[in-house]
Each structure stands twice: as structure tokens, then as C-alpha cells.
Amino acid sequence: DVRNPLLGRNGATRVYGKQKGGTPAQCDLLERALSHFADVVAAEVQTDFRDAAGAGAAGGLGFGLMSFCAASIRPGFDVVAEQVNLEAAVRNTDVVITGEGRLDAQTLAGKTPAGMARLARKLGKIVYAVVGEADDLQDSLFDGILVLRAGGMTADAAIENAPQLLREAGRRLATMLR
């Protein structure tokens, strides 16, 4: 569901390595290893997809699929939306509500909430995100973002109190929609 290239500032390692628990040293090592791997693949198969959108998806799986299987990479949101005829469903709604654990720049790089927001916007619908946490996104696609984890609340406390926090967010959203 991401459009990241394999390598570089927006590549798999730099964007997702820390999120997956990698230390800076481990991420540097992984970046060098992926770069070497991409060099070997380019020399052997005479194609180079390291900079292609989606090459960095799933830790580089996109790169492998393009290089070895002649696969074309499509955003997962688009594939699923087509299969379930999501546009028709959204067309028949007044408000779209989407969400995820953390709303940040990665979200805007192709994750489901961004896909839902873009579809809602295309159809002239109001769209809200209900999220655990959120960065301050200047170019937000959303009419509103309801954050469950209040300032000072630990992640563990938010997880433990998720049902109550979701109910409270639902009440706030209902008030906003009146």
C-alpha cells in the first residue's frame, strides 16, 4: 500500500526501518545490503526497479516482484476498492469515516485512510479520520481528525482504554455532524 522506492530517503529502510524496531546502525547496514542486492539484480536481469514507485513496499517485496516476476505494482487500496465496488458504496453515503493507528506522512504515501479520503473528496463527501495518534499534517485530506490518545497518555493506556476512547470519539463526531 505504499509508493516508496527501494532505497534512499523515502526508501523501505529509511521510512520503515525504525518503525519496525531497527536501530540506526541496523538501518544503515540494511540500506547498504539492499543497495548491493539491487546492483546485483540489475546486472543479472538487466532491469533496475530500485527507484520505481512501490519497490520499497513490504520491505522490498515490490522490488523483487517487479525484478523477478515482471509484476506491475498497483496500490493495494485501488485493487481492493475495485473488487468491492467501493466507489458505488461511497457515492451512496453522506460521510466517510476511516482510521488507523497513526496518521502521519506515511499515511499520505498511499495507505488506506489516504485512499478513502481521496475517494471521498473525488465524490464530494465529507471525510473524517479516527486515529490513535496523529502528526500535524498541513495538507490534510480530512475534514476532521479525531485523535484517541490524549496528550500525556501512554500508548499502553490508550490500548487498554481503546473501547472507551472510541466511544468518546464517536460522541464527539456525532456532535460535529449535527
Side-chain angles (χ1 to χ4, degrees):
D1 289 336
V2 295
R3 297 181 186 106
N4 301 77
L6 182 64
L7 303 167
R9 186 174 61 87
N10 295 316
T13 302
R14 299 288 179 232
V15 173
Y16 301 106
K18 182 180 176 186
Q19 180 188 76
K20 303 301 181 196
T23 66
Q26 289 170 329
C27 290
D28 287 343
L29 177 63
L30 182 56
E31 181 78 1
R32 288 192 310 275
L34 282 174
S35 180
H36 176 71
F37 179 65
D39 291 341
V40 170
V41 169
E44 292 297 319
V45 300
Q46 305 301 309
T47 59
D48 191 348
F49 292 104
R50 73 183 80 203
D51 295 323
L61 181 62
F63 173 80
L65 290 170
M66 287 186 276
S67 298
F68 302 118
C69 302
S72 61
I73 302 298
R74 293 182 55 209
F77 177 82
D78 294 348
V79 173
V80 173
E82 287 173 18
Q83 292 298 310
V84 301
N85 200 14
L86 187 59
E87 187 168 326
V90 172
R91 194 177 308 280
N92 292 319
T93 66
D94 295 319
V95 177
V96 172
I97 302 169
T98 186
E100 72 174 330
R102 181 172 184 79
L103 187 70
D104 56 21
Q106 291 178 24
T107 306
L108 302 180
K111 290 187 174 183
T112 296
M116 284 301 303
R118 288 184 181 104
L119 178 59
R121 289 279 184 240
K122 172 182 157 186
L123 299 173
K125 305 299 179 176
I126 297 168
V127 60
Y128 287 91
V130 178
V131 301
E133 301 175 311
D135 286 353
D136 183 23
L137 301 175
Q138 299 295 334
D139 60 346
S140 180
L141 294 169
F142 306 94
D143 290 294
I145 300 170
L146 290 89
V147 180
L148 302 180
R149 184 173 165 193
M153 181 183 290
T154 66
D156 288 339
I159 291 168
E160 184 177 322
N161 295 296
Q164 176 186 346
L165 294 170
L166 283 167
R167 278 191 297 277
E168 290 170 8
R171 286 185 192 103
R172 289 193 322 249
L173 183 56
T175 301
M176 294 166 65
L177 293 173
R178 286 186 184 168

